[in-house]
Amino acid sequence: MKAYLLYKDQDFDFDANLPVNHSDVIQDLELTTLLQAMAQGDEFLFETSKRVVLTSLDDPEAIRYRQQVLADCLAEPDILREMYAVALGALKDKRGLWWGYSSQYPSSILSGAVHQLEAFFNRMKELRQIADRHLEKFHSVGLGTLLLTLQHELDDEYFETVNYHLEQLKFRRGALISMELDRFSNGINYVLRSSGKANSSWRERFGIDRRSSYSFTISPRDEAGANSLSEIQNRGINLVANAAAQSADHINSYFTMLRAELGFYVSCVNLHEELVAKGLQPVFPDPAPFEEVRLSFSNLRDAALAIQAERPVVGNDGDADGKSMIIITGANSGGKSTFVRSVGLAQLMMQCGMFVVADAYRASVCGGVFTHFIREEDASMTSGRLDEELARMSVIADEIGPGCLMLFNESFAATNEREGSEIARQVVQALLEARIRVVYVTHLYDFAESCLHQHAASTLFLRAERERDGRRSFRMVVAEPLSTSFGEDLYLRLGGWLGENANVGKRQRAPGQRQT
């Protein structure tokens, strides 16, 4: 049996390597905050969610397959958690039982496998009971197929047959083994026989009928005889012991995969419940093929910030359909970094089959999300900030390819504006020529203005809104770049001076600042 909850026709490879750039993506998009909310303190759920989120799907139909499974899970979270508990319990049962794989004796291997199989089949009965009670409540192909399979393949006849064979393998009446003799009278071709019909009749036991078999008893002190008999038994049950151990391994693999795949959906339900508790109503995005070049959203919010914030987070609207680049400029502390993070997180969440924190979100799938955000100064002074930025960009250039999404946040601003703008222009031009979509937050006016002249038709220009009194609304509006980032607003907010003006000697205050 297979779970097939993350893919329609294959298991998820939880042992596959993460993308080379995963550390930068986690840091720049503050993905750890999201994963912690999903895991709720469970390390296994954290690692499982991280692998699924960072391993993006690039097929809209595959994304919708997961969305349908997740919709069922959100509608019936208690049943989901009950199934997860069964899978988790099966793996805990295994750890609690003595297991004879390390033994060289087939009898020990068989005994351990039988006990393990008994524990597993008790858990499989629980899954079957869940399927019997709740099948009609699920509508997705993934969960519906899983529960139907549990019903059809784990029927009563199956469990009766399994119980019979497991009881036989305990050899309560001894093991019946046949063998042949070679020319030297050595035993060969050992075969374990069913002992179901090997019992002698009552007439034979009382000596009335002729005996059909003969027996002998080994003295308790006959160590050599006992060893010989044990060797004969081990040879006879060797094939069966290996088969039983393999069966236990297969069922263990099934529960391992089931726990992991259900665990991702449990994590999603955890996150959804936390967001709803904050008054948010996440929605399922609408994925589109890469060729359509779509990106539009309504009231899109930064999921990580929404989890941490005590007050409602400001959302943004945007329509970049048909645009290969978005340039965001505007006031300092105006929400630009938060906005680009919201786009990156929404894209990752969409492409792993999750919901997004927005009223609506439609985007083309991409081959991978790459980030290049500003970093703190290197405290060791082994390299300058610009050197570090260029080194990171070089690593990205080796990995990124057509169909990917590249997110920049104040990149290449560590040098003067002329040089920084030229570097940005050349990097962006190369990315666009490679059919890579770009979202760029920048204070480099020279760079932004050149994009306005060279890529106006294919670029959406957004600006962080600043109200007349200098306050920030944290909304992005469609507007051309300005040559100022209004840094003096922050200066005044911190109590700075504007200099001599008509009110000589009077200190200029930021809005709401008290006169001192």
Side-chain angles (χ1 to χ4, degrees):
M1 294 194 304
K2 297 290 186 178
Y4 291 160
L5 295 178
L6 293 177
Y7 292 100
K8 189 174 184 179
D9 53 3
Q10 68 184 66
D11 292 329
F12 186 88
D13 186 2
F14 286 96
D15 294 324
N17 293 328
L18 292 174
V20 176
N21 65 315
H22 73 274
S23 296
D24 286 339
V25 171
I26 291 173
Q27 177 179 346
D28 293 339
L29 300 184
E30 298 184 11
L31 190 57
T32 299
T33 300
L34 192 76
L35 296 174
Q36 288 173 340
M38 297 175 72
Q40 297 291 302
D42 188 311
E43 184 178 351
F44 175 80
L45 292 181
F46 183 94
E47 290 299 321
T48 298
S49 301
K50 181 172 75 171
R51 289 195 169 275
V52 178
V53 170
L54 291 172
T55 309
S56 297
L57 298 170
D58 57 7
D59 178 7
E61 290 306 312
I63 293 172
R64 292 189 182 96
Y65 179 84
R66 287 191 192 173
Q67 288 178 347
Q68 292 168 5
V69 174
L70 181 52
D72 270 349
C73 294
L74 293 174
E76 302 290 346
D78 292 339
I79 301 175
L80 168 68
R81 290 186 170 113
E82 183 181 3
M83 293 176 66
Y84 179 75
V86 172
L88 179 60
L91 299 178
K92 287 183 177 179
D93 291 343
K94 177 190 174 183
R95 292 193 293 269
L97 291 173
W98 176 80
W99 195 223
Y101 280 173
S102 59
S103 173
Q104 59 179 327
Y105 300 108
S107 58
S108 297
I109 295 174
L110 179 59
S111 176
V114 168
H115 284 91
Q116 189 68 72
L117 287 169
E118 286 181 326
F120 278 149
F121 282 114
N122 287 333
R123 294 296 183 175
M124 295 180 81
K125 286 180 182 178
E126 295 181 34
L127 288 178
R128 156 73 190 283
Q129 292 168 358
I130 293 174
D132 290 342
R133 294 196 308 267
H134 303 299
L135 174 61
E136 299 302 323
K137 298 178 182 178
F138 296 103
H139 308 286
S140 64
V141 174
L143 275 171
T145 300
L146 173 63
L147 297 185
L148 278 174
T149 301
L150 291 172
Q151 277 191 330
H152 293 164
E153 297 195 13
L154 303 181
D155 56 15
D156 294 339
E157 182 180 356
Y158 173 79
F159 284 118
E160 290 175 4
T161 302
V162 167
N163 288 335
Y164 169 78
H165 287 296
L166 290 179
E167 191 64 27
Q168 291 286 88
L169 292 175
K170 293 178 181 178
F171 304 130
R172 298 186 189 277
R173 293 186 296 270
L176 181 61
I177 300 171
S178 68
M179 66 178 180
E180 299 176 7
L181 297 178
D182 64 10
R183 58 184 295 188
F184 303 106
S185 297
N186 295 319
I188 59 173
N189 299 329
Y190 289 83
V191 178
L192 178 65
R193 303 292 181 178
S194 172
S195 59
K197 298 181 179 180
N199 297 331
S200 58
S201 68
W202 68 270
R203 294 172 63 87
E204 182 179 341
R205 291 197 298 272
F206 282 97
I208 299 175
D209 283 351
R210 295 178 58 184
R211 297 179 64 85
S212 59
S213 62
Y214 297 89
S215 64
F216 62 91
T217 302
I218 297 177
S219 170
R221 297 184 178 183
D222 187 356
E223 184 175 344
N227 289 337
S228 297
L229 187 60
S230 177
E231 182 180 353
I232 291 173
Q233 179 173 334
N234 281 328
R235 288 186 180 183
I237 69 174
N238 184 56
L239 293 177
V240 174
N242 289 336
Q246 289 176 10
S247 296
D249 278 342
H250 291 160
I251 300 176
N252 179 71
S253 297
Y254 172 75
F255 276 115
T256 299
M257 185 59 64
L258 184 64
R259 177 200 179 191
E261 297 198 0
L262 286 173
F264 169 69
Y265 291 106
V266 169
S267 298
C268 292
V269 170
N270 290 341
L271 176 62
H272 190 273
E273 290 175 347
E274 183 161 342
L275 292 172
V276 170
K278 289 181 171 290
L280 301 170
Q281 288 296 330
V283 298
F284 283 111
D286 184 10
F290 167 73
E291 294 78 10
E292 293 189 10
V293 190
R294 292 184 178 273
L295 177 59
S296 59
F297 42 86
S298 174
N299 201 18
L300 174 65
R301 283 148 289 181
D302 179 351
L305 181 60
I307 293 169
Q308 296 175 311
E310 297 180 358
R311 294 181 296 177
V313 176
V314 174
N316 280 285
D317 302 335
D319 185 354
D321 287 351
K323 307 291 187 181
S324 56
M325 182 165 58
I326 302 176
I327 299 290
I328 306 104
T329 59
N332 283 302
S333 300
K336 301 186 298 298
S337 297
T338 298
F339 171 74
V340 74
R341 276 198 306 269
S342 71
V343 173
L345 282 175
Q347 192 72 25
L348 285 178
M349 294 170 75
M350 180 188 77
Q351 290 198 214
C352 72
M354 291 177 63
F355 43 77
V356 297
V357 185
D359 292 345
Y361 187 87
R362 176 175 172 80
S364 300
V365 296
C366 65
V369 176
F370 291 78
T371 60
H372 189 278
F373 282 30
I374 191 171
R375 293 278 193 269
E376 295 295 329
E377 193 74 53
D378 181 8
S380 66
M381 297 301 293
T382 56
S383 65
R385 180 179 291 178
L386 181 60
D387 289 338
E388 186 272 338
E389 287 187 302
L390 293 174
R392 273 193 290 132
M393 193 64 232
S394 178
V395 173
I396 292 172
D398 291 337
E399 299 295 330
I400 200 168
C404 292
L405 175 64
M406 185 71 229
L407 307 177
F408 291 101
N409 186 19
E410 298 186 23
S411 300
F412 314 122
T415 183
N416 61 69
E417 176 157 340
R418 183 180 62 81
E419 291 181 350
S421 296
E422 184 59 29
I423 294 171
R425 270 192 294 270
Q426 294 189 27
V427 169
V428 166
Q429 184 63 39
L431 293 172
L432 295 177
E433 290 176 356
R435 298 179 65 225
I436 297 168
R437 298 188 73 177
V438 175
V439 180
Y440 206 128
V441 171
T442 184
H443 289 297
L444 299 172
Y445 176 70
D446 184 27
F447 162 65
E449 186 184 35
S450 65
C451 290
L452 180 62
H453 294 304
Q454 298 174 12
H455 306 287
S458 60
T459 302
L460 173 65
F461 290 92
L462 299 177
R463 188 196 304 162
E465 188 177 49
R466 172 185 179 273
E467 298 180 3
R468 292 189 173 215
D469 58 4
R471 289 182 297 178
R472 278 42 168 170
S473 68
F474 306 111
R475 297 187 184 278
M476 304 299 117
V477 296
V478 178
E480 296 181 359
L482 292 178
S483 58
T484 177
S485 295
F486 299 100
E488 67 180 28
D489 293 339
L490 300 180
Y491 177 69
L492 289 174
R493 190 178 304 169
L494 295 173
W497 292 78
L498 281 179
E500 298 298 326
N501 52 34
N503 298 313
V504 178
K506 290 187 178 181
R507 192 174 185 177
Q508 303 298 312
R509 302 187 306 276
Q513 183 182 356
R514 193 172 52 181
Q515 177 73 52
T516 59

